[in-house]
Amino acid sequence: MTLRRAHRLNAIALAAFIALHIANHLFIFAGAEAHLATMDRLRLLYRLPGIEHMLVALFAAQIGIGTIMALRQKSRIPWKRAQKISGIVLALFLAQHIIAAIATRMTLADVDTNTYWAAAVVSRAPFSWYFVPYYTAGLIALGVHIAAILRFRPGLHKLAMPTAILSAPAAILIVAGFMGAFAPITLPPPYLAYIDSYWRVTD
Ligand code: HEM
């Protein structure tokens, strides 16, 4: 099997999780409780024994295969370059995102990697200086990467540019939601203690 085919098949397998995960994040517009309640329901699916291990393994494989493909790709076609750059940004984002979620769960018993875990780092400086651009870049990279897929699909290529362009405001709105822009988010004490343990930020 070629790397390209493996990357494609893997992407199809991961698409369901990615769609549900991003749909989950849209509930942040209705507040942290709505986001958390949706995540609790989705966890019944993706945290099933075996499913989660397979998910993490498939993401790891996708990051590895994608990185090799990006390093080999030398095309000067603008959409191919966009595909390569967005793929590299997505791989860097995902490597950190997945390792952070797993490491937090393994080391901090009272910090559930839920809505408040993400909200904590985008709503408190100095963490927000890094995590606001980090989450925004990850979401935009996903949007541009999907747009590049559409660009090379006959019949769907007209959707590529709108998808790429809309991914920026969508990313900004979602991250703003985790910052409490649409509904204020009160971090529970374990999450304040969590960020305090790295940098004293509470009053
Ligand atoms: C604003 C953007 C994002 C936020 C706030 C966010 C938030 C989260 C949270 C809270 C978790 C932990 C879930 C749990 O413990 O049940 C998580 C896990 C994860 N996220 Fe994201 N995410 C974002 C974007 C993305 C994107 C763009 C992708 C993929 C393209 C992604 C892929 C994953 C994966 C693979 C996991 C690990 C799942 C697991 O270990 O079970 N995330 N994310």
Side-chain angles (χ1 to χ4, degrees):
M1 191 189 300
T2 61
L3 283 183
R4 197 183 156 86
R5 191 167 158 72
H7 193 65
R8 239 186 234 174
L9 291 176
N10 218 359
I12 294 168
L14 292 173
F17 171 81
I18 294 174
L20 291 174
H21 194 57
I22 301 301
N24 187 175
H25 296 336
L26 298 180
F27 282 81
I28 199 66
F29 300 129
E33 289 74 18
H35 184 274
L36 192 57
T38 312
M39 180 169 270
D40 280 343
R41 281 195 203 105
L42 291 177
R43 279 178 172 177
L44 298 175
L45 287 174
Y46 68 77
R47 281 212 179 170
L48 279 173
I51 297 281
E52 190 175 22
H53 297 89
M54 196 179 68
L55 194 64
V56 171
L58 289 179
F59 266 106
Q62 195 71 337
I63 291 167
I65 296 169
T67 304
I68 297 170
M69 286 172 68
L71 294 176
R72 283 184 184 169
Q73 210 247 90
K74 306 282 182 227
S75 172
R76 288 177 175 270
I77 298 169
W79 272 107
K80 285 280 174 199
R81 295 184 102 167
Q83 190 168 38
K84 174 176 172 169
I85 294 166
S86 61
I88 291 172
V89 174
L90 195 54
L92 290 171
F93 166 82
L94 282 173
Q96 180 184 331
H97 191 52
I98 297 169
I99 290 171
I102 294 172
T104 305
R105 279 164 56 184
M106 287 174 73
T107 54
L108 301 171
D110 57 345
V111 177
D112 184 2
T113 52
N114 61 18
T115 316
Y116 297 114
W117 177 66
V121 291
V122 293
S123 59
R124 293 289 195 287
F127 305 96
S128 53
W129 301 339
Y130 173 75
F131 281 100
V132 169
Y134 160 81
Y135 275 121
T136 309
L139 287 170
I140 294 175
L142 176 65
V144 173
H145 211 61
I146 292 171
I149 296 170
L150 297 172
R151 178 62 187 82
F152 298 107
R153 287 280 165 288
L156 295 176
H157 65 280
K158 283 190 178 154
L159 294 173
M161 195 52 95
T163 303
I165 291 171
L166 282 176
S167 67
I172 291 168
L173 287 175
I174 290 174
V175 176
F178 280 94
M179 295 168 79
F182 307 108
I185 300 177
T186 307
L187 294 179
Y191 295 87
L192 290 171
Y194 165 60
I195 47 175
D196 253 9
S197 68
Y198 292 104
W199 190 291
R200 182 147 290 281
V201 288
T202 48
D203 310 317

